[in-house]
Amino acid sequence: MGREQERPGQAEEGSSGASRLLANADRILMLWEASVRKRVPAAATESHPILIDTLPALLQQIAEALSENHPRRDATEGNILAEAHGGERVRMTGFRLEDVVTEYQVLRGVLFSVLEEEMPLSPSERNRLHVSLDEAIGKACTAYVVVQEGLREQLFATLAHDLRSPLSAAKVSVSLILRKPSGDQVPRWAARIADNIDRADRLVQNLLDALRVHAGGRLSLVLEERDFVEVVREALENQRTEHGERFTLIAPEPVPGHFEPDSLRRAVENLVSNAVKYGASTRPITVSVKQSHERVFITVHNHGSVIPVEQQATLFRAFHRLPDAEEGTKRGWGLGLAQARGAAEAHGGSIGVDSLPEVGTTFVIDIPKDARPFQKRRPTD
């Protein structure tokens, strides 16, 4: 009696390599994940779902390619799994192009190790496995580069637009001064010029800081002895110029310390600006400064949109956007949050976020009052 005709799209159960792969798929993924976390620095802190990505589906496709009776000749034929994987590594992780190659090399090693534990693969199976992985590497890397180039082009367009706005406003004020150099409004126009130039400068500085952090570096600090509360108050004054009286400062006492005022001021401005962008427009934004155990806690709280837990892990990456960041005034590239993270870490601290529908969203900068000891221990970038 002849063997039952296999359904299209299903790996052949009688194929030795395919059946062993399907039986060991979970173990293969576990071994791969453990190895990738050790070999790829960007993978160390990734959540399991983000790191695994399209690999379970890829293993299914490889099993089909190993089946003699299946029409799929290699795992990438007829699908875009590898392209999706490469693109998602750009959009959702800090993986470099070489990291994508490494993770596929790790997968190759794990597959051959597991599938040949009991018996060797046939020459045909070995060839199909190699071809499948080679094709997947090529397509994933191509997609990585294409998506990265597209993001870079969009970034430049966004930056050009965002820079043009304050510069255009400054240009208008300059023309008013030139037209009426002795007018009563000259001081106000001059102040408007200074404010808009400061806005453009903050954007450029945020970009430079975000790029440095994105590349694995640490921000260089020039420490001063200052009052944290005073610097936070300065940051809020800058934001009031642009957004009006929306901010409440809670700071019961001065908090002196050794830190860099400029980077911390910009970090607070970026968090406040983010709260304005995503928070409820009818509710106040509360900023607080307190100290405990020789550490300083600066919090920025707003009501409004909640940040899902699954999106919080990638929130502080440069060029990372929330799904609704395409909406009108919410458009952005995550430069501000990346700068805030870089500033906190450069001081020997951290930044976190807590977001619940019932209480709103709170960002917390947690740093030592005195950053000097940390600076003495910091590695050379």
Side-chain angles (χ1 to χ4, degrees):
M1 186 174 180
R3 186 170 55 183
E4 182 182 352
Q5 179 71 29
E6 183 181 349
R7 296 192 308 272
Q10 182 182 31
E12 180 189 0
E13 295 181 0
S15 171
S16 177
S19 61
R20 277 178 278 166
L21 192 159
L22 294 175
N24 289 280
D26 289 343
R27 185 160 70 98
I28 290 169
L29 289 174
M30 180 185 68
L31 293 171
W32 173 87
E33 181 175 357
S35 182
V36 168
R37 287 191 185 278
K38 291 180 180 178
R39 293 186 56 180
V40 179
T45 58
E46 284 296 343
S47 65
H48 172 75
I50 295 296
L51 191 60
I52 291 296
D53 196 40
T54 63
L55 260 65
L58 178 63
L59 292 183
Q60 174 66 39
Q61 307 291 44
I62 291 176
E64 293 175 358
L66 293 178
S67 302
E68 291 294 337
N69 291 339
H70 197 283
R72 194 183 305 281
R73 292 168 295 182
D74 71 76
T76 67
E77 184 180 17
N79 63 79
I80 58 169
L81 283 177
E83 290 91 334
H85 182 78
E88 289 181 15
R89 283 302 191 239
V90 178
R91 293 189 295 268
M92 302 182 67
T93 74
F95 275 47
R96 302 166 300 176
L97 183 60
E98 53 265 40
D99 296 333
V100 176
V101 175
T102 297
E103 64 175 331
Y104 276 104
Q105 291 174 336
V106 169
L107 181 61
R108 190 192 304 268
V110 170
L111 281 169
F112 275 100
S113 175
V114 171
L115 296 184
E116 296 193 319
E117 280 178 335
E118 299 178 358
M119 65 182 71
L121 294 168
S122 70
S124 173
E125 289 172 331
R126 291 180 65 87
N127 179 65
R128 289 195 178 202
L129 185 52
H130 278 305
V131 169
S132 292
L133 292 171
D134 289 343
E135 288 290 325
I137 291 173
K139 291 182 177 181
C141 289
T142 299
Y144 183 103
V145 172
V146 170
V147 172
Q148 188 179 57
E149 286 297 320
L151 290 175
R152 186 177 293 115
E153 290 177 4
Q154 292 180 45
L155 168 64
F156 290 151
T158 301
L159 289 174
H161 177 277
D162 290 350
L163 277 171
R164 187 179 297 117
S165 178
L167 293 178
S168 296
K171 186 177 179 180
V172 169
S173 296
V174 168
S175 66
L176 291 173
I177 291 176
L178 291 175
R179 192 179 306 163
K180 296 181 179 180
S182 301
D184 295 339
Q185 298 297 316
V186 167
R188 185 168 67 87
W189 294 334
R192 187 181 301 168
I193 293 171
D195 289 340
N196 281 287
I197 291 176
D198 284 343
R199 286 175 56 198
D201 181 66
R202 286 198 301 272
L203 180 63
V204 173
Q205 289 298 323
N206 286 341
L207 174 62
L208 295 176
D209 287 350
L211 288 173
R212 184 175 179 83
V213 172
H214 188 63
R218 184 181 293 161
L219 304 187
S220 298
L221 303 181
V222 179
L223 304 180
E224 299 180 20
E225 186 174 7
R226 292 285 302 274
D227 178 8
F228 282 93
V229 176
E230 177 188 354
V231 171
V232 170
R233 186 176 287 112
E234 292 171 359
L236 292 182
E237 287 301 321
N238 291 337
Q239 291 299 300
R240 285 191 178 99
T241 302
E242 186 173 352
H243 302 295
E245 298 293 334
R246 293 193 55 187
F247 314 109
T248 300
L249 174 61
I250 300 176
E253 60 181 352
V255 182
H258 288 84
F259 59 98
E260 184 182 73
D262 179 64
S263 64
L264 190 64
R265 183 187 302 109
R266 286 193 291 116
V268 174
E269 289 176 356
N270 287 327
L271 292 181
V272 169
S273 178
N274 187 76
V276 171
K277 183 183 297 184
Y278 292 99
S281 59
T282 58
R283 304 290 295 274
I285 294 168
T286 303
V287 182
S288 68
V289 184
K290 65 179 182 179
Q291 58 181 320
S292 178
H293 299 285
E294 296 302 311
R295 298 187 71 84
V296 178
F297 302 88
I298 302 172
T299 65
V300 177
H301 172 268
N302 67 268
H303 295 276
S305 300
V306 173
I307 305 171
V309 173
E310 63 271 16
Q311 296 175 10
Q312 293 179 14
T314 58
L315 193 61
F316 299 98
R317 291 184 182 141
F319 317 124
H320 174 78
R321 296 176 295 176
L322 290 174
D324 61 349
E326 298 289 346
E327 301 176 7
T329 58
K330 293 185 179 182
R331 180 178 46 80
W333 284 90
L335 299 180
L337 294 183
Q339 184 277 332
R341 185 195 73 174
E345 293 179 350
H347 282 86
S350 62
I351 186 170
V353 62
D354 184 280
S355 191
L356 293 171
E358 298 82 1
V359 296
T361 298
T362 303
F363 285 86
V364 182
I365 295 177
D366 173 5
I367 59 178
K369 287 181 64 178
D370 189 350
R372 290 176 297 180
F374 178 74
Q375 293 300 299
K376 293 176 181 178
R377 295 195 304 269
R378 69 190 293 268
T380 302
D381 293 331

